[in-house]
Amino acid sequence: MSTFSPDPHSIPAPANFRLLTDAERHESLQAALADWQPDQDLWLYGYGSLIWRPEFDFAEKRIALLHGYHRALCLWSRVNRGTPDQPGLVFGLDTGGSCQGVVFRIPAGDVPTTMEALWRREMPSGAYIPKWLNCRTRDGSVSALAFTMNRNTDAYVSGLPVERLVQIVRNAHGSYGPCIEYVLETAQALKQSNIHDKRLQHLVGALRHSMEERN
């Protein structure tokens, strides 16, 4: 199967953007939970906004290391942090490397309603592929549900230079607010959790330098 190779200085055509229907989103959720047992708590892996705004109750959270994926601003956001005409960028789990994040344990009885709300938030267009992945924590490994990037979509972008990232992040705004707020809040949440992400810190430095220049 081929993958899209977008021009790093272009954005996806607005006419190509489509939201999932309620039926498609429900089918995706049911597929992700096919092997989950109703009496089992569920672990969920967060690497971006879920760390600082989970919007669900959880019984426990741990710092977790995931191998095989890394955090990257590789997803054009055309709803939450941008629009089809002026998309922003949000984090995805792209293949390769490793990623430190947070796993949340959701009580079994809360799973159906929590996941339904989470799917409306994270899966409006199906740009993510939900997967069960092994996450290492200090208290042992857990199998957690994670939203990985679907490279076979025009929502995927890679290789953007820092200057272009700064331009996009500073100018985009979606239903959840400014894109720059999302990036800075994520960076702050990682810092508070003692999670180090050199690429993100470099981008934050460039964003703040750009803001100082404008002022």
Side-chain angles (χ1 to χ4, degrees):
M1 182 180 293
S2 63
T3 58
F4 289 87
S5 298
D7 180 337
H9 295 281
S10 68
I11 62 174
N16 292 338
F17 180 64
R18 186 181 75 85
L19 294 171
L20 293 181
T21 65
D22 289 343
E24 288 171 329
R25 191 171 63 246
H26 178 74
E27 182 180 0
S28 168
L29 174 57
Q30 293 306 304
L33 296 181
D35 295 327
W36 170 75
Q37 300 300 316
D39 61 344
Q40 293 179 343
D41 291 354
L42 183 149
W43 287 96
L44 179 70
Y45 182 79
Y47 53 88
S49 64
L50 286 179
I51 296 176
W52 52 271
R53 199 187 66 196
E55 296 184 328
F56 54 79
D57 294 327
F58 53 88
E60 181 184 359
K61 72 174 181 178
R62 305 177 189 172
I63 302 299
L65 178 64
L66 173 63
H67 285 290
Y69 295 88
H70 65 279
R71 181 175 26 247
L73 279 175
C74 61
L75 171 57
W76 289 113
S77 178
R78 293 170 280 189
V79 178
N80 295 346
R81 297 291 175 172
T83 65
D85 290 316
Q86 188 168 16
L89 287 166
V90 293
F91 291 105
L93 282 176
D94 204 1
T95 55
S98 62
C99 180
Q100 263 199 316
V102 174
V103 286
F104 302 91
R105 181 166 62 84
I106 301 171
D110 295 343
V111 169
T113 54
T114 296
M115 289 297 103
E116 179 65 34
L118 187 67
W119 242 247
R120 288 195 297 270
R121 167 178 166 173
E122 300 293 330
M123 294 288 288
S125 65
Y128 289 134
I129 301 175
K131 291 183 180 181
W132 292 92
L133 300 173
N134 185 60
C135 300
R136 295 171 54 188
T137 81
R138 287 186 176 180
D139 296 315
S141 295
V142 300
S143 179
L145 188 60
F147 294 98
T148 69
M149 186 65 215
N150 180 4
R151 285 188 166 195
N152 192 39
T153 170
D154 70 347
Y156 174 69
V157 63
S158 65
L160 291 172
V162 172
E163 295 79 9
R164 179 71 170 131
L165 290 173
V166 168
Q167 180 189 33
I168 294 166
V169 169
R170 288 210 56 180
N171 293 319
H173 191 289
S175 61
Y176 281 7
C179 188
I180 191 170
E181 174 191 71
Y182 165 87
V183 172
L184 294 179
E185 288 279 8
T186 300
Q188 181 64 20
L190 294 181
K191 183 178 180 181
Q192 290 175 346
S193 298
N194 202 30
I195 295 174
H196 304 287
D197 187 319
K198 291 183 179 179
R199 282 187 295 260
L200 179 53
Q201 289 304 317
H202 179 62
L203 174 60
V204 167
L207 281 168
R208 289 179 172 155
H209 179 70
S210 174
M211 293 165 65
E212 290 170 358
E213 282 189 335
R214 183 171 294 186
N215 293 334

